[in-house]
Structures are given as C-alpha cells and as structure tokens.
C-alpha cells in the first residue's frame, strides 16, 4: 500500500485530498497544526471510505518540529516510505504592502513557502532511492497573477511554483514527479470571510469551487495516469485567469 502525507489535512481542501487519496488506496498520514478535533473527523471520513490513516501533528512553518515529526515517523517505520507528498497546509494574512507587518510577511512565507523545503528535502530521499514518488503542492491563482492585499501570499505561492519547476527537473530521471495545483476561490474556512455573492460575478463559472473539485486534480497528478506530467501547474478556478 502506498503511503501519502497530506499537510493541513484537518480541514478544507486538505481534508478532501485525504479522502480522495484513501479512495485511491493510499494509507493517509493526516497532518494538522492545532485542530486535532477536525483531523479526527478527517480520519473518520477516510475510514468510512474503507481506507486507513493516522494523525501526525506538526507546525509546517517550524523546521525543528517538521524534522522531529518526520524523522520520528521514518525511524518508526523501517521498510516503509512515504511515496506521495501533498504540500497543502497554508494560511493568508492579507494587508497592503504599505501597512504590512513583519510578522504578516514572515508567517505567510514560513507556512506557505519555507515548509516546502523543510518537508520535501526529508521525504525526497526515499522517493529517489525507490525511484518512485509524487509531490503535489497546493498553490494559488494569487501566486500566478498576484492579488492586491496579498503580496506576502502571492510571493509565497509564486515561490512554490518556481521551486516545483526546478525540483521537477532535478528528480525526473528517478521517476519522481513534482507538480502543483492552483485553485481559484474555493469554499473553505479560508474564504469564509469573503463575500461570495460579490466575488462570483468575476468568475466565468459564476460560483466558488468546492474542495472536492481541487482534490480531483490532486488525485489525478498522484495517480499512475499522470506518469509523464511533471513541472506543471493545473489551474482549478472556474475559468478565472488574469
Ligand atoms: P483552511 O483554512 O480551510 O485549512 C487550512 C489547513 O492548513 C488546516 O488543515 C490547518 O490545520 C492547516 N495549517 C495551517 N497552518 C498550518 C501549519 N503551520 N502547520 C500545519 N498545518 C497548518 O484552508 P484551505 O483548505 O482553503 O487551503 C488549503 C490550501 O489551499 C492552502 O495552501 C491555501 O493557500 C490553498 N488555497 C486555498 C484557496 C481557497 O479559496 N480556499 C484558494 C487557493 C489556494 P489546523 O486545522 O490544525 O489549523
């Protein structure tokens, strides 16, 4: 059985990805930061699909926490390895650049961008040794076109897109693919303070997307069907581009 780690699997898009990967036969490691109660709901949903999973708490923005949790897991699971990594955990702390505080910049960069390095460089080793692996990062329309009030978030997501394209070329020969999925506006806790009725007018499909619609794209990139796709970004945005 393939083992997948989904960061931020406790809620929203990450939860749907956990369920999707369980349906596809993966054992799912559900990472969360603070909402253990929600992570347990995700685990229940995975089990209801006939799948297996486990919880793994760590803050993706803190290098020492990432290293101790992942190295601990690896130590405790000799003979197994995580062949699928979904970098999904993310936060937004919107502010205009003129007013942006250091913390708002640093927290968003650490959580959305630096986490890519902290986690990926640990798990990539076994993928290369076994010559099989999938890495998918959940980025954003904001990282492609830039959105006002989100310079920190746009920078972080654009950074992950660049890292995805670079890493894809480093590891392609070893049958490890590295891709990203860029959602537009998706109905989750992250967007619950937005006025959907107003924003949807600029979306060609005239609605927000669902976490399941994003999870479908991730599920495809993780599957054997996507074996020749690497260094790519799939947009899941109802037709909303620049
Ligand atoms: P939610 O706010 O609904 O969920 C965020 C998830 O990330 C939670 O599981 C949360 O864990 C986890 N998380 C946050 N910070 C950390 C951390 N430091 N360490 C570990 N886990 C953390 O967000 P969405 O589901 O909407 O977003 C998921 C991804 O999709 C993000 O990367 C986001 O940027 C991206 N995205 C979302 C869009 C949208 O419209 N919703 C649009 C484009 C991109 P916990 O429950 O423990 O707090």
């Amino acid at each position: 059985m393939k083992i997948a780690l989904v960061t931020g699997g406790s809620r929203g898009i990450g939860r749907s990805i956990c369920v999707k990967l369980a349906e596809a036969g993966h054992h799912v490691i559900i990472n969360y930061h603070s909402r253990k109660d929600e992570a347990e709901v995700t685990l229940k949903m995975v089990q209801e699909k006939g799948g297996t999973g486990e919880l793994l708490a760590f803050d993706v923005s803190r290098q020492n926490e990432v290293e101790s949790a992942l190295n601990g897991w690896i130590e405790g699971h000799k003979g197994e390895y995580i062949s699928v990594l979904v970098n999904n955990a993310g936060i937004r702390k919107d502010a205009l650049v003129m007013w942006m505080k250091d913390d708002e910049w640093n927290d968003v960069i650490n959580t959305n961008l630096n986490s890519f390095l902290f986690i990926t460089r640990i798990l990539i080793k076994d993928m290369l040794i076994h010559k099989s692996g999938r890495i998918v990062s959940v980025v954003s329309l904001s990282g492609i076109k830039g959105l006002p009030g989100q310079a920190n978030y746009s920078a972080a997501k654009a950074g992950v897109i660049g890292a995805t394209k670079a890493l894809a070329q480093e590891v392609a020969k070893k049958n490890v693919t590295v891709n990203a999925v860029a959602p537009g506006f998706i109905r989750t806790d992250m967007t619950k303070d937005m006025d959907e009725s107003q924003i949807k007018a600029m979306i060609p499909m005239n609605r927000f997307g669902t976490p399941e619609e994003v999870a479908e794209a991730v599920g495809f990139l993780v599957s054997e069907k996507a074996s020749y796709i690497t260094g790519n970004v799939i947009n899941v945005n109802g037709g909303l581009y620049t």
Side-chain angles (χ1 to χ4, degrees), residues 7-15 17 31-39 56-62 65 87-92 107 110-112 115 137-142 153 157 181-192 194 208-209 211 214 236:
T7 67
S10 46
R11 289 182 286 129
I13 294 170
R15 170 179 286 166
I17 294 170
N31 158 256
Y32 67 97
H33 178 212
S34 52
R35 298 296 304 271
K36 187 173 188 203
D37 55 329
E38 295 284 359
L56 190 62
F58 60 87
D59 179 344
V60 297
S61 71
R62 294 183 185 272
E65 271 192 41
N87 288 309
N88 164 79
I91 56 166
R92 46 175 273 251
D107 289 352
N110 284 330
T111 306
N112 295 282
S115 60
S137 297
V138 180
V139 292
S140 172
L141 173 71
S142 185
Y153 186 78
K157 296 298 192 183
V181 170
F185 290 93
I186 309 298
R187 214 174 288 134
T188 67
D189 289 347
M190 188 178 270
T191 52
K192 69 176 182 228
M194 295 180 183
F208 277 21
V214 180
V236 182

Side-chain angles (χ1 to χ4, degrees), residues 50-196:
T52 63
E54 64 190 279
L55 306 189
L56 190 62
F58 60 87
D59 179 344
V60 297
S61 71
R62 294 183 185 272
Q63 187 177 352
N64 55 349
E65 271 192 41
V66 170
E67 288 177 355
S68 87
L70 291 183
N71 289 330
W73 190 94
I74 291 167
E75 269 301 302
H77 295 80
K78 300 273 184 217
E80 296 178 305
Y81 84 105
I82 296 168
S83 63
V84 174
L85 164 62
V86 182
N87 288 309
N88 164 79
I91 56 166
R92 46 175 273 251
K93 290 194 175 179
D94 298 356
L96 296 173
V97 167
M98 193 166 60
W99 307 116
M100 191 170 289
K101 299 184 179 71
D102 289 353
D103 281 358
E104 289 165 339
W105 179 270
N106 292 330
D107 289 352
V108 168
I109 295 291
N110 284 330
T111 306
N112 295 282
L113 175 60
N114 292 343
S115 60
F116 178 94
L117 175 69
F118 300 154
I119 299 166
T120 306
R121 76 176 159 200
I122 296 176
L123 300 187
I124 194 92
K125 288 182 197 134
D126 275 333
M127 295 186 196
L128 294 174
I129 289 167
H130 290 88
K131 296 195 177 65
S132 176
R134 292 278 192 271
I135 298 170
V136 180
S137 297
V138 180
V139 292
S140 172
L141 173 71
S142 185
I144 293 173
K145 79 185 283 270
L147 286 177
Q150 293 197 327
N152 49 358
Y153 186 78
S154 297
K157 296 298 192 183
V160 173
I161 292 171
T164 294
K165 291 180 177 181
L167 179 63
Q169 294 173 66
E170 291 180 16
V171 299
K173 279 202 184 85
K174 299 283 188 186
N175 200 30
V176 176
T177 68
V178 190
N179 291 291
V181 170
F185 290 93
I186 309 298
R187 214 174 288 134
T188 67
D189 289 347
M190 188 178 270
T191 52
K192 69 176 182 228
D193 61 340
M194 295 180 183
D195 183 354
E196 182 173 344

Side-chain angles (χ1 to χ4, degrees), residues 17 20-21 24 214-224:
I17 294 170
K20 185 90 238 158
L21 296 187
V214 180
E216 285 294 342
V218 175
F220 168 66
L221 288 170
V222 162
S223 76
E224 275 308 308

